Structure formats: structure tokens, C-alpha cells
Amino acid sequence: SRSLAGLLRSSPHYIYILFYLSFVDHLTMKASRASLAILMAIASSASAFAPTKFSTPSSTILRATPATSSNFLTPELAQSCIDVASGTPLYAYSLDALAKSADACLAFPNAYGLTVRYAMKACPNGTILKYFLSRGICIDASSGYEVRRAMDMGVPAEKISLSSQELPQDFEELVKLGVKINCCSISQLERFGQAFANTSQKVGVRVNPGVGSGGFSSSTTGFSKTNVGGPSSSFGIWHEFVTDGTVPSIVEKYGLEVERIHTHIGSGSDPAIWQQTAKLSLSFCEIWDTVTTLNLGGGYKVGRNPDEKTTDLIEIGAPVADAFKDFAKEHGRELQLEIEPGTYLVANAGALVTKIQDKVSTKSSSGDSGHIFLKMDAGMTDVLRPSLYGAIHPITILPGSGKSEDIGTDVESVVVVGHCCESGDLMTPKPGEPEALEERPLRTAELGDIAIMDGSGAYCSGMSTKNYNSFPEAPEVLVTADGEVHLIRKRQELKQIYENECDVPDGVF
């Protein structure tokens, strides 16, 4: 299957083939005429959006000589972070890298106006929210709790958009405060309509466009942990319910005004498929002449490792801007564009700083089996992505002295694991295979050496298995361009882990 995938991707007709296969899938599933029409629309637009070539993660991506510094941390700067945070593990964020990624997103090509919304679930620290707000970047929230958290950090309600798998109980209050809500299911739309019946309340509709793309998966219709579109995804309202009159009838019944169409197909999505979905999403805007905004989500690929390419936003955005212009000529409406980057904004701006606290060997006397294991003083409690997705993060070993002159030259192949009593706490899996070990050539480490795990700015601090084995939540620091280090979250105290637990009355056991 991997050989076939490679052959297809090398074909100049890749998009035509890909969506023809999707079409066959749908026929076998007895897709409706509406689905067929949508798929044909995708295929017919292929010539307008040329695919962008990408390097695919492979098991040889980190075979080069180990670096002498991480993305932004030298041994000395890493030691400064450790001093400010009072030990390891910790998360460090580069303000300079955040600024550069913000610049790139704010320059996204658009025809009639752009709103960039930071997908705060990627890294919800208040300092980062405040920084992006200072740059004119709004917020994409994924729960009512994220909405309240952002507001507590000073983000105005009217700058927050909510697209959630669970419509919060207080959604009416949030709407009245100014929060924009995208209904992500038919039942959400019904509840919204019941709450605001006959008030011409503005609402957004999130559509599942029938295809998805994300992570290591090449399938546009199958299940993937990072794919949020297609028939195997529960995210959004299935496109057939939008085109067959089901959704329009609900909107009409409650007197709502649809002002936004929202689509999002996955994290780390193929840029060519993203472009195709953008064109398709415009067709949903035709259904309501009240639509003024098309939100195309995020999910732009970020190269964390040497042979992984980061999506060129100018390259993928330019033809989409042209499509918006074509829509305006045909329908007389100049739509605003919204995008929701998360990973793109913060992934490579963050690093997990740890120390090597143990080193064990299972190598046989002959040396032809077994491994050398490096054990961090962090793990899935801090970075879950390798255990969950088989994600690959670059790891750099620096001297425990915090001095560049002490960097060694010896290299050894090791498996890096975390500190949890959990066999799945693996930091160096095979790409896309969280159940499989892979050795990594790293600088020979001694106990107490510093290990930097780059690419940890997104979906790490905000998506950890915090408090497993009662390990406290790690602190976070912000590193300025001139090397100043500021604490932006303190290390959790042990008692904070269990302070909400309650005793039962005497005699219960």
C-alpha cells in the first residue's frame, strides 16, 4: 500500500486519481447523488490547484550528525531556562519564533480580508494568547472552557469563535457576550435555533466536506487520529445534509441567519487536498446569500524534522484567493477569509527541556539484539504525541554542565523513553507506528545531561497525560530574542494534584 501511495503521489494526475478512488469508495457505500456531485466538483477543480510536493517522514530522517544546539536553545540558554524554572522538565517557547510564524500567517493571501484565529488548543498558555492578541490574531476555541479561559486572559468575546464537539451549557450567554459559534452537528443547530428562534441570530455552520487529510495517513476517507473530515470522522455536519435541504430547513424553521461556513479536514493535511476542499467549501457558501465569511480551518503541515517540509502559505493561499475572486464575480459577494492555524504558529517555537535520569541496556553479549535506553525525567506526561500518533520529534543531547565547550563527539544509537510506569511511554517510535521502537543516533549521553525535544510547542503542554503516576505539571518559560528567560507557568505542587479529592463519611468502608 505504501508503494502504491508513493506511485500515486508521483503522478501528475495525483488529485484526479485520489478523488476517483474516493468516488469508488462512495459508490460501494451507496452514496447519494449529492455526494457524487460533490466529488465531481472536487475532481473538476483539480487543474485550478496544482499539488504541492512534500517529503514524507521516513525512518532515516534523523541519521545526520547530531546538532550542537536545538532549534533555539544552546547549552547555556537551556541551563538558563532550567534555572528560571527551578529544574526539569520544562517547556520553553521562543518569542522570536512565535513572531515569525505570526508574520507568516498574517500574510496569508486573501482577496477581500483575512482573520487569523489561533487554535488555542495547540498551546493555551495565557502569555501566548496575549502575545497573539497583541498581533491582531483572534481565537479559535474548541470548548466552552477554552472560551472562558481566553476571556480570563483578556481576549474580547467578539474575537473568539467556538467550534466544539460539545456545545456548552452556557452557549446562549456566550453568544450574547459576542462569541461566534459554528454549529458542528444537526442537533447543535437545533439547540441553537431553539434558543434564538425568530431573532435572526447569526450562526456559523461547520461542514464535513466528505474528505479529510492529516498526519501519516494518506487516506481521505478512512479513520486517522489526525483526520477530521470524511465518512470516518464525526466532526461537522455531513455535506449531504447541507445540500439536500436538511440544514437549510432547520435554518428557515428557526429564522436564523447563516453568516459563516466552516470546514477543517485535519492536522498536518496535504496542501493539495486542502486547496481542493477550499474550492469545494465555496460551493456551500452559495446555499445562503447571507454568508459573508468562509473559514477554512488550519492543519498546515510543519516540518519538525530535517527532511520534512513546512507548508508554504503563500503558495497554497494564492489560488484560493483567486477562487474567492471568481466567486465574487459569479455571485456578487466578496467573502472574508478566516484561517485557524495552531501547529503552524507554535510547534517549532516550543521545546521540552529534560534531563537524562537513567540509562539501561538490554544488549546481548554478541551485540546483535537488544537496545540502549535513555530515560528522560519527562515523558508522556509532557509530550504525548509519539505515544499517541507515532509522531517524530528531534532530540538533542547537550552537556549537563550547560557549557558548549563540553559538547562531546561520540554518538550512539539509543531508544529514548519517558519516566512513566507505562510501556507505551516511548519518545522514539517508528514514524506513524506508536507501538514500534526505533533507535535514534544521538550524542552519547551521561546521567544528568540535558535532552531537548524540539517541535514541542503544539499539542504537548496542552495535550499531555498530566499527573499520570502523580508527576506534577511542568513549568513553562518564554525566551526572548536577546536571551532573557521569563517564567510563564510555575511547576505544579504535589498537593495541587489531589487538593480537589474529598473524604467519604466515616463508616462507608
Side-chain angles (χ1 to χ4, degrees):
S1 63
R2 289 182 178 176
S3 298
L4 176 59
L7 178 63
L8 289 177
R9 288 183 181 276
S10 68
S11 169
H13 304 293
Y14 163 58
I15 290 298
Y16 292 95
I17 298 169
L18 178 64
F19 284 97
Y20 171 74
L21 293 175
S22 297
F23 168 59
V24 171
D25 268 353
H26 277 267
L27 285 184
T28 60
M29 296 168 61
K30 299 183 179 179
S32 68
R33 291 184 179 181
S35 292
L36 176 58
I38 293 295
L39 287 167
M40 291 179 68
I42 297 172
S44 67
S45 64
S47 60
F49 301 105
T52 303
K53 292 185 178 180
F54 262 87
S55 300
T56 311
S58 69
S59 59
T60 60
I61 57 177
L62 294 168
R63 297 300 180 192
T65 301
T68 57
S69 66
S70 78
N71 281 350
F72 60 92
L73 293 175
T74 62
E76 289 78 10
L77 193 49
Q79 186 60 54
S80 294
C81 292
I82 293 170
D83 292 341
V84 170
S86 300
T88 55
L90 65 99
Y91 302 94
Y93 303 100
S94 165
L95 184 57
D96 185 55
L98 291 173
K100 290 176 180 177
S101 60
D103 290 342
C105 290
L106 290 167
F108 197 96
N110 64 92
Y112 308 111
L114 171 71
T115 297
V116 178
R117 296 187 180 278
Y118 170 51
M120 65 176 286
K121 62 180 178 288
C123 185
N125 183 283
T127 294
I128 291 175
L129 299 185
K130 291 174 183 177
Y131 172 70
F132 286 140
L133 180 64
S134 76
R135 297 297 310 277
I137 294 175
C138 298
I139 293 296
D140 160 45
S142 295
S143 72
Y145 296 104
E146 282 194 345
V147 171
R148 295 289 184 179
R149 183 174 183 173
M151 291 170 62
D152 283 349
M153 291 299 109
V155 180
E158 61 271 18
K159 292 186 178 293
I160 302 172
S161 174
L162 173 65
S163 303
S164 181
Q165 285 285 77
E166 179 184 353
L167 192 64
Q169 294 294 323
D170 62 348
F171 75 89
E172 292 180 58
E173 180 184 352
L174 296 179
V175 171
K176 291 174 181 177
L177 288 171
V179 176
K180 302 178 188 301
I181 289 185
N182 298 314
C183 291
C184 299
S185 69
I186 288 176
S187 67
Q188 285 191 16
L189 187 59
E190 283 277 1
R191 287 175 58 194
F192 191 97
Q194 291 165 7
F196 296 102
N198 302 315
T199 63
S200 298
Q201 176 62 52
K202 294 181 178 180
V203 67
V205 174
R206 175 169 177 172
V207 182
N208 180 332
V211 294
S213 176
F216 292 99
S217 174
S218 60
S219 172
T220 60
T221 57
F223 173 75
S224 166
K225 291 177 180 177
T226 52
N227 181 332
V228 293
S232 298
S233 172
S234 67
F235 291 82
I237 299 174
W238 185 244
H239 62 87
E240 292 182 29
F241 295 122
V242 177
T243 58
D244 71 2
T246 300
V247 172
S249 68
I250 296 173
V251 169
E252 183 179 3
K253 177 172 66 173
Y254 294 111
L256 302 174
E257 182 180 317
V258 178
E259 66 169 349
R260 293 179 307 283
I261 294 296
H262 181 288
T263 58
H264 177 56
I265 59 173
S267 180
S269 56
D270 185 312
I273 300 174
W274 185 89
Q275 288 178 324
Q276 296 295 333
T277 305
K279 182 67 178 286
L280 173 60
S281 299
L282 283 167
S283 69
F284 301 129
C285 297
E286 298 175 16
I287 298 174
W288 294 278
D289 60 12
T290 55
V291 172
T292 59
T293 301
L294 175 57
N295 186 315
L296 294 174
Y300 312 115
K301 278 181 181 282
V302 168
R304 289 178 169 88
N305 298 294
D307 79 334
E308 295 174 354
K309 184 178 179 181
T310 295
T311 300
D312 185 327
L313 299 186
I314 301 299
E315 183 178 349
I316 69 164
V320 173
D322 289 340
F324 273 58
K325 294 175 184 177
D326 292 340
F327 181 93
K329 291 178 183 177
E330 183 176 353
H331 300 283
R333 278 184 285 149
E334 297 181 350
L335 299 179
Q336 299 278 314
L337 170 65
E338 291 188 354
I339 57 173
E340 297 174 341
T343 296
Y344 195 96
L345 281 168
V346 295
N348 283 334
L352 177 69
V353 181
T354 77
K355 285 199 172 182
I356 301 302
Q357 52 90 9
D358 207 348
K359 184 175 184 178
V360 300
S361 175
T362 60
K363 281 190 170 292
S364 63
S365 56
S366 62
D368 58 2
S369 64
H371 306 279
I372 295 173
F373 293 88
L374 296 184
K375 296 184 180 182
M376 293 178 166
D377 64 357
M380 61 194 295
T381 46
D382 311 281
V383 176
L384 181 61
R385 298 181 72 253
S387 300
L388 185 62
Y389 306 130
I392 306 300
H393 286 256
I395 298 174
T396 305
I397 302 296
L398 300 178
S401 65
K403 297 179 181 180
S404 294
E405 58 264 30
D406 293 335
I407 294 175
T409 57
D410 294 342
V411 175
E412 62 184 349
S413 291
V414 296
V415 174
V416 183
V417 298
H419 58 180
C420 291
C421 186
E422 173 64 51
S423 58
D425 192 6
L426 174 64
M427 298 291 103
T428 55
K430 288 185 177 179
E433 300 181 40
E435 296 290 327
L437 303 178
E438 179 160 271
E439 291 189 346
R440 187 86 61 86
L442 298 177
R443 188 168 290 103
T444 300
E446 304 295 335
L447 300 192
D449 278 352
I450 300 168
I452 309 293
M453 199 168 191
D454 276 317
S456 299
Y459 301 99
C460 292
S461 172
M463 195 183 73
S464 65
T465 58
K466 183 178 77 172
N467 298 157
Y468 184 54
N469 290 166
S470 292
F471 283 113
E473 185 177 47
E476 295 175 299
V477 301
L478 183 71
V479 181
T480 66
D482 58 6
E484 292 184 0
V485 180
H486 302 275
L487 187 67
I488 60 174
R489 185 177 72 187
K490 296 184 292 185
R491 190 180 309 278
Q492 186 183 36
E493 296 181 7
L494 176 61
K495 63 183 180 182
Q496 291 178 300
I497 297 175
Y498 55 81
E499 65 184 357
N500 290 333
E501 295 176 9
C502 301
D503 288 329
V504 299
D506 291 341
V508 170
F509 51 79

